[in-house]
Amino acid sequence: MKNLSNLSLLSITNWLENILKTNDNISFIIENPDNNKNALGFKSWVNLAELHYCKMLTPEKISKSEIILHFKKLNQKESFHIENIQKREEKYGVQSKFFNIDKNREPTFLLAYKKALESVKIEERKEVLNLGINKADEFEFIRELIGENSFNRISFRGIDHSQTALEYAKKRFSNENVKFYRHDINTISQLNLPKADLIISIGTLQSPTINYKPFLMSLVQEYLAINGALILAFPNSRWIDGELIYGAKAKNYNYSEMSLLFNDVIFAKKYLQQKKFRVTLTGREYIFITATKINN
């Protein structure tokens, strides 16, 4: 078993890249970060595992000064991003890998979403519209955040094209103030919905079926109330083998490349500022745009 205690981070990285070509599970010895403040901390090792498409398993202490770390390679084929489902509308349905994802259990997503909801003063909103609601995790978190009584005073509407996901969502919310619509958001006008004072869209607007820029502009102009707010989240990550892996993936690149992500984010930020919104960018694995109207 290799001892990495005295190696530089670059040497460790090179060793990992080489050994992971032929091994799915590796173990190695490091200095115990609890007893040596100059040693690489556990956060660094977790990040290193993620960057090499691995998960870090529970460390083993072998002495006061040394521990054993175990890295397990993720199955990169185990991902909804490459999942082949014949019915397009069920790509995110109950039988899909995506359906098993729970973003509310990811701290970097959860805390950024919480901050966004607090910034728009969610408890004061009256009409909330969520585009790409799936199984309604975003509504579930709002209910937990503000409590049942405040939640029931708000009208919630969610749109998605997956029938099975919406059937699941309806079972979670029997409340009369929560309604779900199976519909293509490209033709949202057919639903004749009231204008919302909060629009939420988590990872939906970047769908290849949506003409992003004109759709975003029409969303603001036609479906948002005068003093409305928006919470938009843009994925800067991929879900692989049950793990949230940082970094947007673009075609023709074998590593994270974020030009398209930042292009979409900056367009939204500039457009909303032109429309007299106060805009903040937060988050990490999901980049959140939170926009609230500036009152003159």
Side-chain angles (χ1 to χ4, degrees), residues 146-203:
I146 65 176
E148 193 78 32
N149 291 335
S150 295
F151 183 86
N152 289 337
R153 288 196 291 267
I154 302 171
S155 174
F156 291 91
R157 300 175 192 273
I159 303 174
D160 205 278
H161 55 48
S162 171
Q163 180 177 345
T164 57
L166 290 179
E167 288 173 352
Y168 184 94
K170 290 176 182 177
K171 292 178 182 178
R172 299 176 80 178
F173 294 91
S174 58
N175 319 51
E176 293 183 358
N177 63 312
V178 184
K179 293 182 171 58
F180 298 102
Y181 302 84
R182 183 178 176 230
H183 203 81
D184 185 342
I185 64 173
N186 285 297
T187 55
I188 188 176
S189 60
Q190 296 175 1
L191 294 175
N192 296 315
L193 298 175
K195 287 191 174 184
D197 59 1
L198 175 61
I199 294 177
I200 300 172
S201 184
I202 308 294

Side-chain angles (χ1 to χ4, degrees), residues 75-91:
N75 180 2
Q76 295 190 48
K77 294 181 180 179
E78 193 68 22
S79 172
F80 81 88
H81 301 284
I82 58 175
E83 190 174 21
N84 183 21
I85 294 180
Q86 292 183 343
K87 290 185 177 182
R88 183 184 68 84
E89 64 273 14
E90 286 305 313
K91 181 179 179 181

Side-chain angles (χ1 to χ4, degrees), residues 100-143:
N100 293 322
I101 292 170
D102 186 354
K103 297 188 292 293
N104 291 342
R105 298 183 66 182
E106 296 292 335
T108 57
F109 173 87
L110 182 84
L111 295 178
Y113 183 42
K114 177 178 181 289
K115 181 62 177 177
L117 290 168
E118 291 171 346
S119 295
V120 302
K121 298 180 179 178
I122 178 60
E123 68 281 356
E124 297 179 9
R125 299 294 165 178
K126 294 179 172 58
E127 187 76 39
V128 176
L129 174 63
N130 187 306
L131 303 178
I133 187 66
N134 199 255
K135 61 181 183 288
D137 287 342
E138 289 88 25
F139 287 176
E140 180 61 42
F141 181 72
I142 293 173
R143 180 163 60 181

Side-chain angles (χ1 to χ4, degrees), residues 7 20 38 53 65 72 85 94 99 106 114 122 130 133 137 169 180 184 210 221 238 245 252 271 277-279 289:
L7 297 183
L20 285 170
N38 295 317
Y53 298 100
S65 60
K72 180 179 180 181
I85 294 180
V94 295
F99 191 81
E106 296 292 335
K114 177 178 181 289
I122 178 60
N130 187 306
I133 187 66
D137 287 342
F180 298 102
D184 185 342
I210 295 174
Q221 295 168 17
R238 287 154 289 155
I245 303 298
N252 304 321
Y271 174 72
F277 286 87
R278 181 179 291 105
V279 182
I289 286 185

Side-chain angles (χ1 to χ4, degrees), residues 9 16 28 30-34 36-37 39-52 54-57 59 67 69 71 107-108 246 284-285:
L9 182 57
L16 284 173
F28 49 90
I30 66 164
E31 291 181 274
N32 187 347
D34 291 337
N36 185 351
K37 65 180 181 181
L40 284 178
F42 286 113
K43 182 180 179 182
S44 297
W45 290 108
V46 170
N47 288 342
L48 197 60
E50 179 184 351
L51 289 168
H52 287 85
C54 295
K55 66 168 61 176
M56 191 175 90
L57 305 182
I67 59 175
L69 291 188
F71 281 13
T108 57
Y246 174 85
R284 194 172 73 181
E285 279 78 7

